[in-house]
Amino acid sequence: MRAAIGTSAAALVAVFALALSGCGSDAGDPSLKIYLSAPLGGTSAADGRDVADGARLALDDAGGSAGGVAVRLEVLDGAGRRDAAAARAGANARTATEDSTAIAYIGELDSGTTRTSEPITNEAGLLQVSPSASATDLTRAAPGSDQVPDTQPSGSRTFARVVPSDVAQGAAAAGAMRQAGLDRVAVVVSPPGAYGAYARSLLLGFGSVSDGPERTDEPPLDAIYQPSPPFGDHNRLAARSGVPPSRFYGADATISGAPPRTFLPAGSVAISGALAPAQLPDPDFADLFRDAYDRSPGRFAAYGYEAMASVLDAVDRAGDPLDRKSVVDAYFAIADRDSVLGTYSIDEQGDTTLDRVGAYSTGEGGRLNPAPDPLPIP
């Protein structure tokens, strides 16, 4: 119901309180905005468009409102290369945090740019939900740590994600290798360093884990795991190591573009935090997306949908849907949520408890074919 505009002290106090809550409306009706930052140009444009359209579909399905309040989606372009993309993510986050009607921020697609936007939204107490950024340091100070990471400088958690983390991908890869009877694994990273040590930690428990395929003081290798962006000629790497392509495993960082492709050798296994559309537990999502946009969804469309749907659910359940902290608290209270991605909760660190990751077999030219089933996370 539209509130009458008056000059009484009570009316002025009400307007002031609304502004302090982080949301309001120039017209007098309470209203909210959810900002979404995704690349709409460049090599990741198709993924960004899928995430944005998935979010639009979720908002349409909710009737354009949550918590009894009208909700608008504001999509901001996050395209750019390296430093330019990070700078744009920072600018997008500042645009959202400076809008008194903003109740949440969906983004970014990749972990690098999220490291720029996350501190900004965190300082403003604005909920940020990523559909696809999976780096461990976004939710934890270190692998296995429960401490708040430096990317959330306020000391209170405001960042969460609907995609399984890098740790979950590594655990799924390790489980698949064990299931295949593989024991001696090389972890190949570029550049070497801290990430290599982290990747090795994911595979502890194998008979032997080496830093690369050129070690000569160990028994012959059974498999190669590549968690970082690809480098070099993988066919030569396969030949030099003696490991057949079918025993190469690559994480999400080895996949890029839309349709997704990888630089892993043909016949290898590529693992993505995001399920392929054919692997989703909801068989209707792809058809609904296709009906709405006259094209098939990519692997991140359902994650854009769920990022928006879960935020709207938090607004619905919040004690005060116009208060940013109340919505953050409601989001971190998500438990046993039934979604297009499966049933999950959000843990205390902001990670999803989804127990499956996407799996692809690779073809010539880096082509990816979804495996019949996703990989379980042990």
Short mmCIF file of all heavy atoms in Angstrom, two decimals, residues 13 48 87 206 222 283 302 341 352:
data_model
loop_
_atom_site.label_atom_id
_atom_site.label_comp_id
_atom_site.label_asym_id
_atom_site.label_seq_id
_atom_site.Cartn_x
_atom_site.Cartn_y
_atom_site.Cartn_z
N VAL A 13 11.13 10.24 10.52
CA VAL A 13 11.88 9.17 11.18
C VAL A 13 11.76 7.87 10.39
O VAL A 13 12.71 7.12 10.21
CB VAL A 13 11.38 8.98 12.63
CG1 VAL A 13 11.95 7.69 13.22
CG2 VAL A 13 11.79 10.17 13.49
N GLY A 48 28.39 -15.23 -19.47
CA GLY A 48 27.78 -14.11 -18.75
C GLY A 48 26.32 -13.92 -19.12
O GLY A 48 25.48 -13.66 -18.25
N ALA A 87 39.12 -4.20 -12.39
CA ALA A 87 38.71 -2.82 -12.14
C ALA A 87 37.22 -2.64 -12.38
O ALA A 87 36.52 -1.95 -11.62
CB ALA A 87 39.51 -1.86 -13.01
N PHE A 206 47.13 -40.94 -1.82
CA PHE A 206 47.56 -41.79 -2.92
C PHE A 206 48.93 -42.38 -2.59
O PHE A 206 49.67 -41.84 -1.75
CB PHE A 206 47.62 -40.99 -4.22
CG PHE A 206 46.27 -40.78 -4.85
CD1 PHE A 206 45.47 -39.73 -4.44
CD2 PHE A 206 45.80 -41.64 -5.83
CE1 PHE A 206 44.23 -39.53 -5.00
CE2 PHE A 206 44.56 -41.45 -6.40
CZ PHE A 206 43.77 -40.39 -5.98
N ASP A 222 50.47 -43.38 -12.79
CA ASP A 222 49.18 -43.91 -13.19
C ASP A 222 48.30 -42.84 -13.82
O ASP A 222 47.45 -43.13 -14.67
CB ASP A 222 48.43 -44.49 -11.99
CG ASP A 222 49.05 -45.78 -11.48
OD1 ASP A 222 49.67 -46.48 -12.29
OD2 ASP A 222 48.91 -46.07 -10.28
N PRO A 283 15.16 -32.16 -14.76
CA PRO A 283 15.16 -32.39 -16.21
C PRO A 283 14.41 -31.32 -16.99
O PRO A 283 14.53 -31.25 -18.22
CB PRO A 283 14.47 -33.75 -16.35
CG PRO A 283 13.57 -33.83 -15.16
CD PRO A 283 14.29 -33.12 -14.05
N ALA A 302 21.94 -22.51 -15.18
CA ALA A 302 21.21 -22.97 -14.00
C ALA A 302 21.80 -22.37 -12.72
O ALA A 302 21.08 -22.18 -11.73
CB ALA A 302 21.24 -24.49 -13.92
N LEU A 341 19.59 -27.32 -8.94
CA LEU A 341 20.92 -27.93 -8.86
C LEU A 341 20.93 -29.17 -7.98
O LEU A 341 21.92 -29.91 -7.95
CB LEU A 341 21.93 -26.92 -8.29
CG LEU A 341 22.01 -25.56 -8.99
CD1 LEU A 341 23.02 -24.67 -8.29
CD2 LEU A 341 22.35 -25.72 -10.46
N THR A 352 28.42 -24.20 -0.59
CA THR A 352 27.30 -25.10 -0.81
C THR A 352 27.67 -26.52 -0.42
O THR A 352 28.84 -26.92 -0.52
CB THR A 352 26.84 -25.07 -2.28
OG1 THR A 352 25.81 -26.04 -2.48
CG2 THR A 352 27.98 -25.39 -3.22
#
